[in-house]
Amino acid sequence: MRGELSRRDVRQDDVVVYYEEKTERILHRYGPGPRVHFHVGLVDGIPPPGATEPVLRRRIHASQEALLAEVARAAGRFPDGGDVLDVGCGLGGGSLYWASEHGAHVTAVTNVASHVELVRTFAEIEGVGARVKALHCDALAVPGRACFDAVVALESSSYLPRAEWFRRVRALLRPGGVALVADCFLGRPELAGPFDRYWRTRIGTLHEYLSTAQAAGLELESRDDLSSRAVGFWSLTLELMAHERHVAPGQRCLVRGESSREHLRLQQALMDGGLEYGLLVLRREA
């Protein structure tokens, strides 16, 4: 057991360093805020090429907020005014969204210490500082019991040991509470290695997610395959990355060839079934 925990700790340390180093790029691409999202967006149809950089940034932000609206819709009745845990909150965009659009009291959890102050600052700018609590904490060590109406994990569950994390989620949810998980699920085994290496994750299959969630006491209420709507997001992102390559002489280019290749690989996999971008609604029964 100690060896397993050590390997997990080393991996999490790698993830922290990865996101520490990416903070500037996240703010550059998805900022300036206050609602800065670092997750997939939903686009209905492939957008035409040729948009300017400012237009692309606005479209990307709108698509990311469309995902949040879809998550709320899938919940059936999102707990407006309730207590929400945002797991792997990034720079807090989702937390601010739940607080602003749904009046939620949000605990925004991140394992990157430097992001805590950014989340707090953005929450104050958004006017929801009193409803967003930023917490530097491992997702497996969030304190409390039966204290949340909803747990939201947008592309953060792939970084976590699912069986252990789902058990913790059930313990944190109030009876009848809901876990909302949006992430990539593995369709073809040969894609796992490249995906995990580039994104620093542990991608899982849909079967693995559902079986471990059920074993933890979380019942599947609904599942939506959003892959076709996520494809357009990567078209927008790839076009924005092309703009970013053509920075003025002397500036550091924020995008490298590997990044473009991996984004294109992910988009192709979403189109041919190698990956699924899915949304799971998991309910803790009373």
Side-chain angles (χ1 to χ4, degrees), residues 120-157:
R120 290 172 179 162
T121 299
F122 286 144
E124 290 296 332
I125 295 171
E126 180 81 357
V128 293
R131 292 204 298 274
V132 175
K133 174 186 175 184
L135 182 64
H136 178 224
C137 181
D138 189 303
L140 300 175
V142 176
R145 191 170 188 85
C147 52
F148 292 105
D149 301 298
V151 174
V152 182
L154 303 180
E155 298 166 29
S156 56
S157 63

Side-chain angles (χ1 to χ4, degrees), residues 9 14 17-18 30 47 50 67 72 76 90 108 136 149 157 165 168 170 196 205-206 209 221 223 267:
D9 290 344
D14 289 345
V17 171
Y18 175 67
Y30 301 111
L67 173 65
H136 178 224
D149 301 298
S157 63
W165 178 64
R168 187 70 199 125
R170 187 192 183 281
D196 285 351
T205 64
L206 183 64
Y209 269 79
E221 189 166 278
R223 167 216 167 187
Q267 183 187 46

Side-chain angles (χ1 to χ4, degrees), residues 31-50:
R35 280 172 19 188
V36 181
H37 306 297
F38 187 53
H39 55 71
V40 164
L42 301 182
V43 178
D44 293 312
I46 304 296

Side-chain angles (χ1 to χ4, degrees), residues 245-262:
R245 288 193 194 93
H246 296 94
V247 295
Q251 291 184 339
R252 182 173 62 87
C253 184
L254 298 176
V255 182
R256 303 187 188 282
E258 181 191 13
S259 183
S260 296
R261 287 193 300 272
E262 291 304 322

